[in-house]
Amino acid sequence: MPELAAVLVDQVNPGTNRLFTYSVPPEFTARVRCGTQVKVPFQRRYLTGYVTPEPAPEVPGLKPIAEVLAEDLFTPQDWELVRWLSARYLCHLVEALRLILPPEVRNFRYAGRHVEWVAPNLAAEEGRALLKELERRAPAQARLLAALLEAPGGIPRAQLLKEAGAGPESLKALIRRGAAALRVEGPALEERPCCNEPRRRELPELNPAQARAVSAITAAIRDERFETFLLHGVTGSGKTEVYLRALAAALEKGKGGIVLVPEIALTPQTLKRFSERFGSEVAVLHSGLSARVRYAEWERIRQGQSRVVIGARSALFAPLRHTGVIILDEEQEPAYKQEESPRYLAREVAIFRARQDRAALILGSATPAVETYFKAEQGQYRLLTLPARVGGRPLPEVKVVDMRAELMAGNRSIFSSSLAEALADVLRRGEQAILFLNRRGYSTFVLCRQCGLVATCPHCDLALTLHNHNRRLVCHHCGFTREPYRTCPRCGSRLIRDFGCGTERVEAEVARLFPAARVLRLDSDTTGRRGAYEEILGAFSNQKADVLVGTQMVAKGLDFSRVSLIGIISADLALNLPDPYAWERTFQLLEQVAGRAGRGEVPGRVVLQTYTPDHPSIACAERHAYLDFYRLELARRSRYHYPPFAEVVLVRAAAPAEEAARRVLADLAGRLKSLEVRIEGPAPCPFLKVGDYFRWQVTFKGKDLEGFRRRLAEELPAVNSYGKRLGVRLSVDVDPVSYL
Ligand code: ADP
Ligand code: ZN
Ligand code: ZN
């Protein structure tokens, strides 16, 4: 009887979302096991596939594995994680496996231990000239060169050929021309994203609160016990020092650790603190690195050369074999949710992984997610508190400015007189200021400039959005609509307006009011180019500018000791998004921004402008009162059936024909009706039309949705396939973080 293997083919397709049995020819038996990458005949082609640890049932017409490409790409434990991800987030097995095997690994491991890299070998200008010439005479070489010019740091040979759709002969010709060079190695040490910092030997002495936290966490690490800790500490309370000690304890135990940081906060400043402590043990994984560097970092981790992994959410899938501790800094961040399939929530995955590894899990935050704090209160997580800033530095004083009063006093500028004066003071004293406005590029909300009333939905308590095409106010969550108010229903005023102003206008206003001030702007428009983000931050940190204007990019992870003023241009923007988490997001964001002030010797203060000074998110941020906010928000969550009181699954449909999207969702909801789930909708998505597609959504809520998820997974293929005929694409979002 031939030996059999259960293989998952590398193709996202409803028909291939299961395992296929192949026979193993005798010459491969020594190499075929869990984690082996193979080539297999599939229908009339060959596909790449992966050998899983699952039993392979005998089937008629068995075909043999054609080729072995690479070995040991994943472990049985990784496969267990793949199975769990696919069941929890309703994604294909291959989509889940691809998290563990990123493209640079899937495509190039088989080139052997030494990957062949191709890099451009001429200046960009020459390259473009040559490109013009080649386009006419040698199109394949031109495509290769074009791809190379996009990747100045080099690109694996196999990937290059695939991307350019060119053969090895064309590449050889390009190399003979001297336009490209071949290298057989990983990146040089000086190209590694982190590791060359001089090591610092002397450690700060822990304060009593830090010492308590460290001893609880290191006990779990030493005993190899899975336990989840919530490290609740205000900004600047020394959480990072606790992380460093936990990592040191894991290393001492012969294990490693993973530190997740929201992508936006993965600054050179952050990396420096870890590499000062752990040197070349630190590996960095995030999407900003070139494929070449990322692959080399991955390989270092796999081989155990680097045991401290720092990265964005995907670093959770790093091939670290013995994990003693997993850390999620700023655990409440929406960046921990992947907004494309598999739509996983890193916090949930981290819990699964830490349990597998019997590791300690640290969720760190100044403003934990309401669900997280609730679980800590319930005893599911152990609560560790760092109540004060290190060195007795005070939290910055927050001055809330009522913009209604400013308007009344005749000030129509986007700066209140308090903010303008504070800014003038800072400039006079030669200190620095950060001005924050979270103007994401989308529709505004409607409010009464007389009394501050914001039009909300009577069923959801969410802000209504003005739709211009039909001149109606719409609730993006439940579908409720009404005609716009001509006068305010509370105070009768006619001063009802759309509200809107972005960072560019703030920048211009600063320049107008303070012509001598040097202003920099940090938002996605100014940081599109690689390296621009670091340049702007570097310039600000070297005092080359007085004022930094920005979106939430300025809110997270930055530490500038000369910043003594934070101006929040409008706290109302984020507050009035049609999203059930808007209040919590706003409170968290305000606390985070405020945390950027007063981190050095200069005390800091915050001027917060708003039309709704009494709103809980603002009133609590003014007093840095996390617990007060938590209690209020928890009550709201209970009232409207949101986590932690219910699990949520959101199903969205997108189609060129709006009615088709609605109908497919209504049908799906009908099939899933049961006593255990609440069904809300179908209703139009907050952004109804995106890229010529109309989007609708239906929300399922329930105490425990495990059984529901299984039923949904069973119904989906049928609904998907008839939906497809109507042009409808469905997407399932388990544990949604954004409702927009
Ligand atoms: P958080 O991560 O909570 O925002 P940090 O860990 O960044 O706080 O700490 C704030 C500052 O205090 C940092 O500059 C850090 O080096 C310093 N620090 C942390 N713990 C101590 C300590 N025990 N003694 C002296 N300085 C410390
Ligand atoms: Zn009013
Ligand atoms: Zn509603």
Side-chain angles (χ1 to χ4, degrees), residues 127-166:
R128 279 192 293 275
L130 180 60
L131 187 59
K132 274 230 177 71
E133 200 187 314
L134 288 177
E135 267 164 0
R136 276 176 285 121
R137 295 192 293 118
Q141 285 184 53
R143 288 197 302 276
L144 287 166
L145 182 59
L148 281 172
L149 293 175
E150 293 282 296
I155 180 170
R157 181 173 173 277
Q159 181 183 5
L160 175 64
L161 294 178
K162 197 165 159 188
E163 268 179 21

Side-chain angles (χ1 to χ4, degrees), residues 425-730:
D425 271 355
V426 165
L427 294 172
R428 199 163 40 240
R429 284 200 300 265
E431 295 165 2
Q432 292 180 302
I434 292 178
L435 298 180
F436 166 76
L437 179 64
N438 208 13
R439 181 73 185 104
R440 311 170 195 177
Y442 44 63
S443 70
T444 52
F445 58 93
V446 175
L447 71 74
C448 169
R449 295 183 74 167
Q450 188 78 36
C451 75
L453 181 78
V454 173
T456 53
C457 172
H459 307 295
C460 313
D461 208 13
L462 298 176
L464 294 172
T465 301
L466 181 67
H467 281 231
N468 256 330
H469 69 98
N470 56 359
R471 297 297 300 172
R472 288 190 74 79
L473 297 173
V474 182
C475 171
H476 285 155
H477 195 55
C478 72
F480 168 85
T481 83
R482 59 156 294 136
E483 57 177 340
Y485 296 100
R486 279 174 220 295
T487 57
C488 173
R490 184 158 76 194
C491 75
S493 155
R494 288 173 167 278
L495 288 176
I496 293 179
R497 292 272 173 82
D498 282 67
F499 198 79
C501 155
T503 43
E504 279 179 29
R505 197 175 138 202
V506 177
E507 187 185 15
E509 277 292 296
V510 176
R512 196 176 62 80
L513 291 174
F514 307 99
R518 297 163 303 165
V519 192
L520 285 173
R521 180 158 59 88
L522 193 71
D523 56 27
S524 38
D525 298 328
T526 62
T527 54
R529 194 166 47 77
R530 193 177 279 192
Y533 175 75
E534 289 78 6
E535 273 168 38
I536 295 171
L537 286 184
F540 190 63
S541 139
N542 294 328
Q543 327 273 318
K544 298 242 162 57
D546 310 299
V547 182
L548 182 66
V549 177
T551 54
Q552 55 176 333
M553 277 187 193
V554 303
K556 312 199 171 167
L558 304 183
D559 190 352
F560 298 113
S561 56
R562 298 287 304 166
V563 171
S564 60
L565 171 69
I566 304 284
I568 296 167
I569 304 299
S570 168
D572 303 309
L573 266 178
L575 201 53
N576 297 305
L577 291 172
D579 185 316
Y581 292 162
W583 291 24
E584 184 185 35
R585 265 315 122 62
T586 301
F587 173 75
Q588 290 165 343
L589 201 54
L590 293 177
E591 278 294 302
Q592 259 172 351
V593 186
R596 300 308 116 216
R599 296 176 76 91
E601 296 310 314
V602 203
R605 67 189 191 115
V606 179
V607 176
L608 187 164
Q609 306 188 144
T610 175
Y611 282 93
T612 53
D614 301 324
H615 191 287
S617 297
I618 289 164
C620 292
E622 180 178 16
R623 293 180 287 116
H624 303 297
Y626 173 79
L627 281 177
D628 291 353
F629 181 77
Y630 164 74
R631 298 254 137 72
L632 281 166
E633 180 67 12
L634 197 66
R636 236 165 59 94
R637 296 285 183 88
S638 160
R639 196 153 58 244
Y640 298 110
H641 311 281
Y642 282 103
F645 302 101
E647 291 189 336
V648 179
V649 174
L650 196 64
V651 182
R652 297 187 183 90
E658 187 172 358
E659 174 55 20
R662 190 202 61 78
R663 209 165 76 216
V664 170
L665 283 183
D667 171 51
L668 179 70
R671 292 167 182 243
L672 292 166
K673 224 173 230 148
S674 81
L675 290 177
E676 297 88 6
V677 286
R678 265 178 93 82
I679 302 180
E680 296 173 4
C685 289
F687 303 116
L688 174 61
K689 197 172 176 192
V690 176
D692 289 328
Y693 280 82
F694 287 93
R695 300 153 78 242
W696 279 62
Q697 64 188 25
V698 59
T699 313
F700 301 94
K701 295 175 176 174
K703 270 263 172 259
D704 175 4
L705 292 185
E706 199 183 331
F708 171 81
R709 282 191 295 267
R710 263 199 304 275
R711 277 178 48 216
L712 177 57
E714 283 161 20
E715 297 289 352
L716 267 181
V719 178
N720 250 328
S721 78
Y722 99 74
K724 214 171 196 172
R725 286 197 297 279
L726 299 173
V728 179
R729 288 192 315 227
L730 287 181

